[in-house]
Amino acid sequence: MGRLGVPSNLPVELSTFVGRADDLERGARLLGESRLVAFTGAGGCGKTRLARQVAARVAERFPGGVWWVELASLADGALVTDRVARTLGLQAGETEAVVDYLAGSAALLLLDNCEHLVEGVAEFVTAVLRGAGLIRVLATSRHPLGVEGETTWRVPSLAVPPQAADPATWDRFDAVRLFLERARQVRSEVALTPAVAQICRRLDGIPLALELAAARVGGVAIDRLVDELDDRFRLLTGGSRAGLARHRTLLASVEWSYELLDSHERVLLRRLGVFAGGWTVEAARQVAGFAPLDPAGVLDLLGRLVDKSLAQLDDSGRYWLLETIRAYARTRAAGAGEMSTVAGRHLAWAADFAHRLEKDVERAAPEYLDLVERELPNIRAALDYAAGAPDPGHDGLRLMAALAFFWTQRGYAAEGADYSLRVLAGDPTAPPALRARARWAGAYDRFYSFDFDRATAEANTALEEAREAGDEATQGRCWHVLAAATFMVDPGASRPLFGSSLELARASGDRWAEADSLQFLGFSHLLQHRPTPAGELLARSGAMADEMGNAFQQAWQHIAFGTARADAGELADGARELRTGIGIARRVGDPAVEIWGCSCWALVELLRGNVAELRAIADSMDRPGRPLGETGAKVLDALRLIAADIDHAAAALCSLGELLLTSNDPPDGARMILLGATLALRAGDRAEARAAAGRSLAGCEQLGSALAGACRVFLARLDRRDGVAAEQQAYAGLAEITDAGLWAEVPDALELLGGFAIDSGSFAEGARLLAAATALHERMGQRCWIAGEVERDHSRAVAELGDDFPRIATEGQQLDGPAAVAYARRARGERRRPSFGWDSLTPTELEVVRLAAAGLTNPAIGERLFISRGTVKTHLLHVFAKLGVHTRAELAAAAIRHGLG
């Protein structure tokens, strides 16, 4: 009786068995369900060790014994029966004698390493299963036995930590545990580092490879070992001398499997090494299906390679090679002199694949972007080849031209731009039109990597090539990149450039470029915080994006609409639009749009006072496997910091604003810094508040942004003791924000102007303005972050007005935004104003002049300013007298000279 409680010859293992708890359970269950179970898998994947461990676990089920029969050393399938007989202690080597011996015995036969003797093993097993009804057989083989009733299970490699796995979880993966245990037997101080996780991934979790690699740590540093894996077959040698010869080196293990293939299987395997990350049947036919192979026979050959554990097949019908097998296949292809031919066909296949999907990628259809993403390893391999080898079909440039949008939409913009330059350098004789299109693609991606200088340089070169080729569509797209790069530093200067893009897009029928140029023109106004002129342009571009079903443009569109509505004071609608745009961006997979959208959304929620929502926004950005890059990570961390302590968040908000102001989102950066100034003032730090407002003002002035008006209002609040000068600055700021339609900033301005009125003794005027501001805050769903300062003015007005205050406040509450602004300008009166000249005009008189110079009639002016036509006439009479003019024509000319026309 053996150590297992039943007769057995299972060897005592000299090393510990690591992991595979689920695999042990599955193996034991399969043996309970089937009389013949075959563990298959690639060489070195651990079939033998797992099978012996499973056999030991279930030994008590087999009182007739558990018998391990090692077949690797046999060269002839006819000797299988004899080897089994000798293992059982029988003298006769005939199948009938073995069957008779086993008849009536509940025993388990473990037939190990059957792949080179499949026919002989199959014949023997069939006879035993038919003649000995209680017998069960567990076989290990690199491919199935093909016996009726056989249950085949492909033994997986050990689990490895995914690229995005938390380092704290690495030691939960069996591959890491095995490597560390074996490595520490060689050098006890080996630690779990990123290099260890990388070794496990690069070796596909293959136990043999991991053990061979671990054996090398005595003489090779772990970090160096990672680099040396590029030549894994030279490195991974020196296995146990007690083991099989083919398990003493990684190369011997793989060569053993290769030698068992027929000639056509060998040809296909070595050609498949060109694929990175897997392939479809159609791709294999196009790339590998040439003489001596028939494309029609590739599917059958693939099935045979899968059966022999040299190729893998997933549930989606996609094939792939373990990286170790792929490295061996490429070596074999090079030895056969086929590598350049196969790589060229692979490049042509990739270009054809991308070309077929070009229009679907252009419209950012998520399902088609997913198809491209799945083939990204192959695309990278093809482009690497194109950059360094002759490309007579110009397939590398075709591939780049077709994928311009993919790189940006999936967050790989810098990579795509770099590939463009490399492939262009490798194909200097391509036709100008193709070079222009591929170079435009790189310039477009360069813009979305925020390298505007290089984007401009590349777009200018592409424009010249497109002109040489007479390609209007590509010329239009080049102007689009030039305009976009200018847009980020000078929105106003970008508009004529977008006009050139629009003209060429319409002439060439390029609907994408037309819609995107219109959208950017709308953005150019939003960048300057001018939602009113942005609206019409965005409506037109949005209709085109919806018509084309372009998800990328739709994501930007909703975020732009959300920003415009929030700027206009429609905060709830703005937040809803922003959430819609962010949702589309996430479906597309575009991190840049998502980051921008989340920054805008966070701003809107801060304006609404929904601080807790910032943490939810951050949590929604923090998704495993989808890194957002350095900027995205900083945005995420800042939002959590601000949400955690809003009372001390001024510095964090200003830091986040500075990041955005100086990178890819200047308008939201400027607004965040201004909001940081507001929180600093709320916390009582007037020096920090002044510095932040000054920084925001500088950024706004550089952009030509109307938010500068809000900065001036804020600085006027800090300078309130200066009286008239500060009040004049506040009125100038109010005019700037209202002219731009920036109504979200109006309530704060009205509150300050109400305070100035109270300071001058005009308590009723001040009370009306304070009440109007409070009502506007409420209608907009906006929080007043400096309510303490406003409350002091409110208390002064209540104390002075007494019982009249409720009536006066009600009058103020009934004013909408335009009416409240008009009232503020009228009510300012004649305080500290000269009698003649432009400085003598009241704000209302200045507004009447501006509207009259624009050609409006008195009734139209009255309707605009909420005053009667008689009042308009009176204002004009006062203006004529103060300016010394006598007719509307003279007034209009004077207004133009003064900058009001």
Side-chain angles (χ1 to χ4, degrees), residues 62-74:
F62 300 100
V66 175
W67 306 105
W68 173 55
V69 184
E70 208 291 303
L71 302 177
S73 59
L74 291 187

Side-chain angles (χ1 to χ4, degrees), residues 394 396-402 404 416-417 419-421 423-424 430-445 458 462 465 474:
H394 312 299
L397 294 180
R398 289 176 55 227
L399 179 54
M400 278 308 309
Y419 267 127
S420 173
L421 289 184
V423 175
L424 281 161
L434 182 55
R435 288 180 62 80
R437 195 69 164 188
R439 198 183 300 277
W440 158 77
Y444 177 83
D445 292 326
E458 290 163 25
E465 290 172 330
T474 300

Side-chain angles (χ1 to χ4, degrees), residues 750 753-772 793-794 796-802 804-813 815 823-824 827-828 831:
L750 293 177
L753 294 175
F756 279 122
I758 290 170
D759 290 345
S760 69
S762 298
F763 292 98
E765 173 192 341
R768 288 190 185 93
L769 290 175
L770 292 176
D793 288 328
H794 179 271
R796 290 170 64 195
V798 170
E800 183 67 28
L801 296 172
D804 289 335
F805 180 84
R807 172 184 58 78
I808 294 171
T810 299
E811 292 171 354
Q813 291 166 0
L815 298 173
Y823 173 75
R828 185 181 181 196
R831 289 182 249 138

Side-chain angles (χ1 to χ4, degrees), residues 724-749:
V724 174
E727 184 182 20
Q728 287 176 341
Q729 178 167 298
Y731 271 104
L734 176 65
E736 195 166 358
I737 59 181
T738 53
D739 283 351
L742 201 55
W743 289 100
E745 304 298 331
V746 167
D748 286 348

